[in-house]
Amino acid sequence: MTDDRLTLLNPPGLHPTSGYAHVTIAPAGRTAHLAGLCPLDADEKVVGPDLDTQIDQLVANALTILRASGATPHDVVRSVIYVVSDQSAVLAAAWDRLTASELGPAFRTASTLLGVAALGYGGQLIEVDLTAALEG
């Protein structure tokens, strides 16, 4: 499947995905490598004690950073999602909320979802790394 500048591939013979592509091919050019996106407010405080609130803050932060980079969620070529949990249902719920959000198109490209024991801030339940292809 081709989406403007990106080519998304799911080669035959591989397992189906839950909405992401096995490989994303971007044209040569500039890229933006976003630092790990955290569910922090402007005072560097983790928002809310629950995953949904943290995802909503993370999405807002990601959209702000993408805009500042001259990119949109549609320009993201790779994502890595870290969730503090070893429960598949919790990981799936995080995936579902992210993909249903305004940031959702970022997760149709090559993506990895990981359950981890801890993240950098006390009480932090999620972190996302994004890489975006930029025009010119």
Side-chain angles (χ1 to χ4, degrees), residues 74-121:
H74 293 279
D75 298 314
V76 172
V77 296
R78 176 93 173 109
S79 62
V80 181
I81 305 157
Y82 305 90
V83 180
V84 177
S85 181
D86 64 354
Q87 302 295 312
S88 294
V90 173
L91 299 177
W95 175 261
D96 290 344
R97 190 165 187 94
L98 284 167
T99 59
S101 74
E102 190 178 348
L103 187 60
F107 304 105
R108 77 198 190 299
T109 58
S111 188
T112 300
L113 173 63
L114 301 165
V116 298
L119 291 165
Y121 289 89

Side-chain angles (χ1 to χ4, degrees), residues 52-88:
D52 287 349
T53 301
Q54 290 192 18
I55 288 172
D56 294 347
Q57 182 68 49
L58 185 145
V59 166
N61 294 349
L63 293 171
T64 297
I65 294 168
L66 285 169
R67 273 192 296 276
S69 302
T72 73
H74 293 279
D75 298 314
V76 172
V77 296
R78 176 93 173 109
S79 62
V80 181
I81 305 157
Y82 305 90
V83 180
V84 177
S85 181
D86 64 354
Q87 302 295 312
S88 294

